[in-house]
Amino acid sequence: MTTGNGQLDLPYLRAKLTDRRGQLYWRSLEELAETDAFQEFLYREFPQQSDRWTDPIGRRRFLHLMGASLALAGLAGCTKQPAEPIMPYVNAPEEIIPGKPLFFATAALLSGVAEGVLVENHMGRPTKVEGNPEHPASLGATDVFAQASILTLYDPDRSQTITQFGEIRSWSAFLSEMREAVQRFKQNKGSGLRILTETVTSPTLASQLKKLLSDYPSAKWHQYEPVGRDPARAGARLAFGTDVAARYHLEKANVVLSLDADFLSTGPGKLRYVRDFTARRKVHQSQREMNRLYVLESTPSNTGAMADHRLPLKASEVEGFALALAAELGIAWRVEIPAKLPGSTWVGPLARDLKRHPAATIVIPGEHQPPLVHALAHAMNHTLGNVGSTVIYTEPVEANPVDQFESLRELVREMQSGSVETLLIFGGNPVFAAPVDIPFADALAKVKQRVYLGLYNDETSELCHWHIPEAHSLESWTDARAYDGTVTILQPLIAPLYGGKTAHELMAALTDQSEQSSYEGVRQYWSSQFTRIPVMVSGARSSSAVCQKASGDFEEFWRKSLHDGFVANSALPAKPVALTAQPAVLRTDATTPGLELIFRPDPHVYDGQFANNGWLQELPKPHTRLTWDNAALISPATAERMGMTNEELVELRFQGRRVEAPAWILPGHPDDSVTIHLGYGRRRTGRVGMGAGFNAYAVRTSGAAWFGSGLSLSKTGRRSRLACTQHHHSMEGRHPVRAGTLEDYHRHPDFVREMGEEPPKDLSLYPERKYKGNAWGMVIDLSSCTGCNACTIACQAENNIAVVGREQVIIGREMHWIRVDRYYAGGLENPATYHQPIPCMQCENAPCEVVCPVNATAHSQEGLNDMVYNRCVGTRYCANNCPYKVRRFNFLLYSDWETPSLKLGRNPDVTVRSRGVMEKCTYCVQRINAVKIEAEREGREIRDGEIATACEAVCPAEAITFGNINDPNSRVAQLKANKLNYGLLSELQTRPRTTYLAALKNPNPEMKTS
Amino acid sequence: MPQIFHRSTNTFSKLSIFGAVFVIAGLLIVVMAINRSGYVTQAGVTREQPVPFSHQHHVAAMGIDCRYCHTTVENAAVASIPPTKTCMNCHSQIWSASPTLEPVRASFRADQSIRWTKVHDLPDFAYFNHSIHVNKGIGCSTCHGRVDRMPLVWQHASLQMEWCLDCHRHPERYVRPRDQVFNMEYEAPANQLILGKRLIQEYKIQSLTSCSTCHR
Amino acid sequence: METNQPSKTLTLEADTAPIIEPGHTFGSVTDKISSVVLARKTPRGWYVGFGIGFVLVMVLAQTLANLLFVGTGTWGVTNPVGWGFDIINFVWWIGIGHAGTLISAILLLLRQEWRTSINRFAEAMTLFAVACAAMYPLFHTGRPWLAIYWLFPYPNTMGIWPQFRSPLIWDVFAVSTYGTVSLLFWFVGLIPDLATLRDRTRKRIPRFLYGMLAMGWRGSARHWNRYETAYLLLAGLSTPLVLSVHTIVSLDFAVGIIPGWHATIFPPYFVAGAIYAGFAMVLILAIPIRAFYGLEDFITMRHLENMAKIILVTGLIVAYGYMMEAFFGWYSANPYESYMILNRMKGPYAWMYWALLFCNAVTPQVFWFKSMRTSITALFTVSVIVSIGMWFERFIIVVTSLHRDFLPSSWGMYYPTRWDFGMFLGTIGLFVSLLFLFLRFLPMISIFEMRTILPQAEVKETGSPH
C-alpha cells in the first residue's frame, strides 16, 4: 500500500486507478493508499485530538457548559418558566411590524468594489444578506464574503474604542488633535500629509480626497491592496496605451478560453459571470446546445473544474502558450513563439474552434498573469471580432487607478526619508500585507503621527498612534461602484455597534467641517452630481426613464437609488479603444526550470481581512476541502519526487526568504510548482483567526507578487494536522455523480437513468403516503454548480448553524447542513472535477424517521422530514441510519449562548440548538411557513418561486431549484421530468425529494479528452 | 427459637405488598394532576403589572376593540403590546393626573418602555402566529378566555402541547365565523360541529399537525 | 422430579464426574455454603477484590459526571460513526447477562440437575451485567434527563407518544422486563436460603435483615408447595426472555439500512453469541471462586465440562453466522454489502476482524478434546479469549459498518477517547464490586437445592406389595 516511510506510492495508485473499469471517482490520496497515518491511528489507543481536555475550546467552555447543561435540565418539562418582561415601543415606528423582517438595499464591498445586496432586518437588527436581483453584479446572488459579513458585523473581537498609544480616547479628542494638524497643513500646504487607502471606487470618497489634495497640494494619496489588479492595468496600457477595464458578456459566448483566469470565483464580476456562463450550460431548458470552456491553469480552480478541456501549466508557461495561440490566430502583432512550447497539441484545435465562432468567443487573461498575457488576450479578442459583442472596454471602475506596488514603494521611500509627518491609513492592513521587499512596518516607525482606521485591533493598529474603529459596511453611509461601474449608495442597517467611524468622517476631520457625518458627506456629493450620471449605451435598464425624470428632483433620485440599491444608468459606458501598433516586447524567455511558487488570495480568508470570521474559517475550501488552515499545494508527481506526504511540514525557501507550511497533495495541480494562499498566519487579530495557518506574505515580494521561480523545498520531518472535511476519494464503482457528455445525452438521453436503478414504488412495507396540497422538492443541477460554497454559508447564516472549531472539524464534527462533495474522475495528473451539493434529501421513505424512539424526526404533511430539536434526546440513531450522512449532532455545546453581540445576529425564526441535539436541513421550513401563512391569509395558492430556500436564493449559477412538485407547471416539477434527473442512492428506495441533474461536459471532438 | 418479628409484621408485609399497586397508581395520578395544574402551567394566575391595566374596564366598559391596541394581530405573528403612545392618545386627556398612570406618563416623558410582565409565554421553541389563527376564525376568547372580565389579565388555557393539538386535530370544535373573532361575548352555538365543518370548508382550514407547523 | 434419580446418578458415575462429590450430608452442605456468608472474619482476598472494584466504580462516577457536564462529545463518537463504545459495551454486557437466565430457567425446565450448583451466581451475574448494560442506552443519549422522561412519557401533557416503530423503544421494554423477571427469579430462589441464614446467624442485625428478606419462610409443606409452583412459573416466564432480549437488541441493527447491520441472520446469531459469551463469563467467575472458597465439591469438573460443551456448540453457531455474513456479501452482488465485508477484511479495522475470527471461531474448537474440556487452565484461557472476541465482534458490527457506508464523501474513522475507556472500566468495576458484595452476604450456591441432589434426598421405595 505505502512505501516504507509513509510516503505515497504514486505508481501504485496510478495502477490502482487505471485497472478500474468505467469512470472512477476518488477523493483524497490517503485512503486510496491506506497510508501509515491510518495504521498509526489504528494502534494508538488515545489519539490526542480525541481528548476534549487538550482542546482549548473544550477547556474554555467547561464552566459555561456546566451552567448551560443545568439550564437545559431546566427545560426538561416539569419546571415552570420564569416570568419574562415585554417592552413595547414608546412610539412605534410605522414601517416596523414586530416579527416581520424588512429588507434594505445596500452593497457588500470587496477590494472596494460593490456587490448589490438586500439585507434582512429584524426589528433593527440585520440578520441575513441576500443578493439584489435588480443589481447587475448580483442578480440576486452573493458570494461567501457577503454572506459572512453579518458575522463580521457582530464580531465581538472587532475593535470597540478609539485608542491613542493604547489608551482609550474620545472622538472629540481625536478631532481636536486633527484640528491642530489641519492648521499645520494649511501653512505647509499639507506637505508631510500622506493618506494610504485600499482601492477606492467610492465617488464620494474620491471627491473628498481630490478636494483634500487641491486644498493641500503637497499632500499625497497612496493606494495599496495586497490583491490588486496591477497586471491587468499594465496589460491594458500595453495593448491600448490607455487604462481600460474589460467586461465580458459570457451569455453571448459559445467558446471561452481562460488563460489561467479563475473568472468564475474571483474578481468583482464573478457572480454575473457565473450566471451568464452557466445559463449557456443548462441544456435541460429549451436550449439543446452548450458553450465550451477551455481552461489553462497554474493551480486548480473552480473555473478549471467547470472546464470541458483543462490543461495544467506552470504559471510562467502560460505566456508562451498565449504567444503561440495568438500567432496561430494571426493577430496583428508580430510575436516570437518560444522554442519549447508546453501544451502545443492544444494550439491547433483550439484556434480552429475559436475561429469557428466569430464574435462569439472570449479569451480571458488571468488577473495574476503578467501584462503580456493580458495584452495578447486583448489582441486575440480583437482578431476574433469579440470586441463590442462579447467583450467591451470601459473606463476603469477605480476612482484613481495606480500601480499599487509602485504607490506603496514610493510612500515607504518617503517615510524612510522622514518627510512623512502624518500618515492616515484607511482600512486594509498594510503592516501585515505589504510585500517583504517593501519594509512598510520599519518605515512606519519614522512617521511622527500615525492614524489607522480599521475594523480590528491588528498588526497595523499595533504600530499606529491612533486607532479609530472602522464602521462595518453594514453600519455606514458610503457609496461604491460595481464591476461594471454601477454605483450603489450604501445605507447603514444598524447604528455602529462599536462606535465605528467611516473614511468619510475621517476625511471631514481633515477639513474645516470636521463634524460632517458620512451621511451628509455622501448626500452632499450626490446632490451635486446626480444630474451628471452617464447614461448607459447598451441595454438601458427599464428604470432609465425614471432616472431621466429624477435628474430634476434630487429627493426622488435619492430615495429611488437607496430603494433600488443602485443608481440607475450609472454603469460605465463602453469605450472605443484601438490596439497599439506594435508593443515593445512580444516574446518570453523559454520556461524557467525548477520549482515555481504561486500566490493566491485564500478562497475564504482572502487577503487576511476575514481571518476572524468563523463561518469563513470553517467553510471547506474548494478542491482541498481544508478548513482553518492554508497549506502548500503540490502535484502528486512533485510530491512523489520529493517524497512528501500530506500534512508534512515542509520549508519553502523562495528568493532568500523562508516559511514553513504543511504540504497538501492536490491532484490536477501542475508539476514543479507550489501554490500557497495569502491571508493566514495572522499575528494579531481576534480569538478566532489567531494563529491559524502560516503567513504567505513572509515570502511575497513585489517582484514576484503572484508567482516566481527559484523555489526550493525541504522536508522538516515534522507534521501538522490539517482539518479536512472529506477524506475519501473512491466511489468503489458507485455513481453519486452521474456524468456524461452533451454528445452522449443527444445520442442516448437515457444514459443517466441507466447508471442506477429505480426500484418499483410499491416495494415498501409501509403504506404509500398521499400528499395533498404542496409537496416540496428540490433539484440540483450538477452541470451548473461551480462549487463556490455560497450555499453552505448562506445556510449557516439563515439557520443559526454553529461553528465548531478546528479541533472538532479534525474529528469530523462540522455542522454544515448542506455540504459540497468533490469527486475526481480520471488520472491523478489532470482529473475531471465534479462538485455535488448535498443537503437533506427529505426522503419520502426516510430511514431516519422509523428509528427515532421519541418521534423527534417525523414526516410532515408536505413531505419534509421535520426535525424537532426540543423533542430530540440525541440517540444519534437517525444519523447512523441516514445513507446520505446529512444529519449533524451537537456533540458539545457548539452554539454560543453567551456573547450578546452574536445573539443579535441570529435568525429569530430558527431555534438555536443546544447540546445533545440532532439537527439538519429543513428546506428552510421557516421560510416555507412564512409564505404559506401569507398565502393562506390572502386565500391564494403559493406562487412558484415565491419560496426560495437560503441555498437556492444565494446560488449565482441558479443550480438549485426549489418548489412544489405537485404542481406540474412548477420549475422544479419540470426539471424532475427531465431525462438528466436522477435520485442519489435511489436504489435504496428512500425516494429522495432532492434530486440531481447529471453533469454534462461539452468536449471538442477534435481533442481527445484527458 | 425466639421470634425476630412481632406477629403484626405479617399484616404489615401483606399490606405493603398489596398496597404497593395502589400507592404507585396514586402517585402517578398526583403527578399528572400537578403537571396540569395552574402551579405548573401558570393558568389562572394573575400577574403583577407596573400599571394595573384593566381589560375589563377598557374592553367591557369602554368597548374598545382588541385591535385598537393589539394592532398587528391580523397580519403578524405577534399581536403586539401597544406602544405608550397608544395609551397617551386618551390619557393625555382623561385621567391625565391619575397617580396610577404615572408610570405611563413617565415612560412617555423619558422615552423609556414600560416593563410589562408577559402573561401568555410560550416556550421559545414553539412558533405561534396570531394572524393565521385570527384569519381562519379562531376567536380571541377561545385561547385568551373572557379577557373582558379580567381586571388584571391571567392565562386562561394551559398552553400545553396537548391543548394546542386538541384544536389542531379537531378544528371544527372551535372555529367561529370570521366576523365573530373579536367578539368577546360569542358563545359556541348548539350546532357547533355542523357549523365548524361548514367553516372548515369555507375557510379552507387544514388540520396541521406536522411538527414543523410550530417547531423549527 | 426425583423419580429416575438413581439410574441417572449411576450413569453419571459411569461416564463422568458427579455433580456433587460423595460423602456430603445435608448438614455438611449447609455448613459449607452458609459458612462463607456467616464466617466471622472476611478473608483478605475479598477486600482486595472488592477494593479494585470500588476504585473502578469511582472512575465510573467521574466519567459519568464529565459526560453529563461536558457532553457526549467527550467520547470518540462522531460523523459518520454515531455509536461507539456506548453501544458496543451495551451489547457486550447484555450478552453476558444471558447465561444466568438460560441456566436457571431453561436448564431447570430441561431437568438438568447439574445446573443447581452454578445457577445462583450465574443469576447474580446476569443481574449485575444487565445493570451495567442498562446504563449505556440511557447515558449514550445527548440529553439523558429528557430520555428518561420521553421514553416513559408520564405525565404526558404533549399529546404525543414515543415512536413504537423504533427498535430503541423495543429495547427499553425488552431490557427492563428482562431485568425485572431475572431479579424476581433470583430473589424467589433465594428465599429458603435466606431463611436458613436467618436461623443460623447469631448476630441481631443480620438476623433481622435476613428475616425481612426471607419473608417469614418457615419451610412448611405449604410454603414448599407454593414455592415450587412460583419458581416453575417464573422459569417458564423467563425462558422466552432469553430469546427475546437479544433478538430485540439485534434488531437495533437489523432494522437499520446500513450494510453490515441490515441482515436477517442477526437474531439467532446474536442470541447464540450471547449465550456463548455468557457461559464464558460464568466460567471466568466460577473457576477462581470455586478455588478460593474451596467449593470444588459442589462445582465439579462435570459442571465445567458441560459448560465447555455449550460454549463449543454456540461457538459453532456464531462461526456459522460469520460465514453467512461473508457469503451474503458475495452472493447479494450488492456493491455496498460486498464492499462492507471486504472493508472488514482489508479495511483499517481488518486486524480486529481477523482477531475476532480467531477468538470466536478458532479457539473454542479445542473443546472437541476432553483433555481440554477438563483442564482448568484451558477452560479459563479460552473463556477469557472468547469474552474478548465477543467484544471485538460488537466493535466490528457497530463501527466498521458505520465508518464506511454509502457515500464515500462521508466516510470517516472512529477513535475511542479516555472517557470511553473510563466508562467501560467503570462498568466492569461496578460488576466486580456487586459480585463481591453478593459473595460476601448471600449464599452463592443454592443450599437447599444442593441438598435435594444429595443421594440421601432420594425417595426410598417403602416396601413392595406382595
Side-chain angles (χ1 to χ4, degrees), chain A residues 27 31 34 41-43 45-47 49-53 62 65-66 69 72-73 76 726 728 730-732 734 736 766 811-813 819 821 823 847 849-855 869-877 880-885 888-889 891-892 914-917 985 987-988, chain C residues 66-83 86 140-143 145-147 149-151 158 160-163 165-169 251-253 255-258 261 335-336 339 348-349 351 402 404-411 413 415-419 421:
Chain A
R27 178 166 260 100
E31 308 220 352
E34 296 289 346
F41 279 121
L42 243 35
Y43 292 105
E45 275 197 333
F46 310 117
Q49 84 277 10
S50 58
D51 183 357
R52 263 340 119 275
W53 295 104
F62 180 70
L65 276 169
M66 285 175 69
S69 51
L72 290 180
Q726 288 166 352
H728 219 283
S730 162
M731 271 303 118
E732 312 292 337
R734 310 168 187 186
Y766 293 110
I811 330 172
R813 293 178 180 170
R819 64 175 196 264
D821 286 354
Y823 297 123
E849 287 169 5
V850 279
V851 298
C852 174
V854 296
N855 258 323
Y869 311 121
N870 46 298
R871 177 83 180 173
C872 177
V873 298
T875 66
R876 303 186 298 288
Y877 198 171
N880 288 345
N881 211 31
C882 172
Y884 310 96
K885 290 287 172 278
R888 297 284 179 250
F889 187 65
F891 287 94
L892 298 168
S914 67
R915 184 189 113 206
V917 169
L985 297 180
E987 60 268 38
L988 298 179
Chain C
N66 176 63
L67 179 71
L68 288 177
F69 282 129
V70 184
T72 325
T74 56
W75 291 350
V77 285
T78 174
N79 302 328
V81 186
W83 287 346
D86 43 7
H140 97 287
T141 62
R143 305 198 288 177
W145 50 90
L146 288 184
Y149 172 47
W150 275 333
L151 293 177
M158 287 170 288
I160 54 170
W161 295 100
Q163 212 247 70
R165 287 184 301 174
S166 166
L168 294 188
I169 281 282
L251 293 182
D252 287 349
F253 304 104
V255 166
I257 64 167
I258 301 300
W261 284 11
Y336 310 114
Y339 180 84
Y349 296 106
W351 65 277
L402 284 173
R404 292 183 180 180
D405 60 350
F406 295 98
L407 293 182
S409 58
S410 48
W411 289 1
M413 294 292 287
Y415 311 113
T417 70
R418 69 167 63 154
W419 298 107
F421 285 95

Side-chain angles (χ1 to χ4, degrees), chain A residues 711-788:
Chain A
L711 169 74
S712 65
L713 283 179
S714 62
K715 303 169 53 163
T716 63
R718 284 171 287 120
R719 313 181 69 82
S720 87
R721 239 178 120 61
L722 295 175
C724 179
T725 59
Q726 288 166 352
H727 298 288
H728 219 283
H729 49 75
S730 162
M731 271 303 118
E732 312 292 337
R734 310 168 187 186
H735 290 292
V737 169
R738 303 185 190 176
T741 66
L742 186 62
E743 224 178 327
D744 302 339
Y745 176 60
H746 286 324
R747 213 184 315 104
H748 181 49
D750 283 337
F751 83 97
V752 177
R753 200 166 39 72
E754 287 161 9
M755 286 172 103
E757 56 172 318
E758 206 85 28
K761 276 188 184 301
D762 53 13
L763 213 64
S764 168
L765 284 180
Y766 293 110
E768 174 80 18
R769 274 205 200 72
K770 295 267 164 293
Y771 300 99
K772 299 181 244 69
N774 308 318
W776 306 118
M778 183 181 275
V779 172
I780 300 178
D781 177 7
L782 298 179
S783 312
S784 303
C785 175
T786 64
C788 70

